[in-house]
Amino acid sequence: MTADRSDESLLLGSPEDFGAFYARAETAILAYFRSRVAEPELAADLTAECFALALKGRRRFDSARGPARAWLFGIAGHVLSRSVRHRRVEDRARRRLRMEPIEIDDAALDRVEELDGADVAALALEGLPEAQREAVRARILLEQPYELIAERLSCSEAVARKRVSRGLAAIRTVLKEDVS
């Protein structure tokens, strides 16, 4: 079952595992692009290229440098800047993988447009690895003490503090990118 597997294990696993990773992260990546480009179709194209590059380069992922979602958002930033620089959506990775262009129907377009008003901070929170997401929720939203958070997450207080710190740093990075 993929629900209880980490993003990292899904990213580095089988093609089916990568599909589960894609399903988990797609909305956050799509929202990232949607908050930065005017056309929903362009956001969908950028999302597709981002995931194609992630699939192609997933063996280069290094968990010591950060979580899989942060790595994926890094790819998204590069896809966006390269597309802006070249004034078109790059699609080399999709072509190399022989992926067909995405056909966007009205339902998909409506879903992308819904992201227009999405709360970027909430999406960034959802994009965190589960352990960090739960620690940040408990500390920031529920204002729980670290002692209680550690007990609930079955870890030490130091680990709970580190999860909150890393989670907030990742959210700050996403919010900073959203402003620029």
Side-chain angles (χ1 to χ4, degrees):
M1 175 177 253
T2 59
D4 49 344
R5 292 187 48 204
S6 71
D7 285 342
E8 289 74 18
S9 72
L10 293 174
L11 173 64
L12 298 173
S14 70
E16 293 78 23
D17 291 340
F18 185 84
F21 174 72
Y22 176 94
R24 278 187 191 174
E26 177 192 23
T27 300
I29 296 298
L30 190 55
Y32 170 84
F33 286 122
R34 188 64 188 110
S35 70
R36 287 161 176 77
V37 298
E39 298 85 23
E41 296 90 351
L42 180 56
D45 287 343
L46 291 166
T47 299
E49 181 66 4
C50 176
F51 278 103
L53 285 168
L55 177 61
K56 191 171 148 255
R58 67 190 176 137
R59 298 291 174 222
R60 290 190 305 267
F61 168 71
D62 178 8
S63 62
R65 297 183 67 198
R69 291 280 179 107
W71 178 77
L72 186 61
F73 274 100
I75 292 171
H78 290 294
V79 167
L80 182 63
S81 66
R82 196 169 51 238
S83 294
V84 167
R85 205 171 37 250
H86 295 186
R87 297 179 193 254
R88 66 181 177 86
V89 175
E90 294 290 320
D91 64 351
R92 281 184 292 203
R94 283 185 291 168
R95 285 184 286 138
R96 278 192 209 131
L97 292 171
R98 294 188 177 108
M99 293 170 66
E100 293 295 320
I102 295 175
E103 296 290 327
I104 300 178
D105 60 11
D106 288 340
L109 195 57
D110 289 343
R111 186 170 158 254
V112 173
E113 287 177 343
E114 283 173 15
L115 295 174
D116 224 2
D119 181 354
V120 176
L123 288 168
L125 179 64
E126 289 307 311
L128 294 176
E130 184 178 355
Q132 287 180 7
R133 181 175 56 243
E134 292 309 312
V136 169
R137 262 194 195 121
R139 181 69 182 155
I140 304 303
L141 300 178
L142 303 176
E143 299 179 350
Q144 294 177 344
Y146 284 108
E147 180 181 5
L148 181 61
I149 297 167
E151 182 180 315
R152 198 173 116 240
L153 298 177
S154 302
C155 63
S156 70
E157 281 187 55
V159 169
R161 287 178 186 278
K162 188 54 105 173
R163 288 178 182 173
V164 170
S165 173
R166 288 182 177 163
L168 291 174
I171 290 171
R172 273 193 299 276
T173 298
V174 170
L175 293 176
K176 247 189 248 179
E177 291 172 355
D178 189 54
V179 173
S180 52

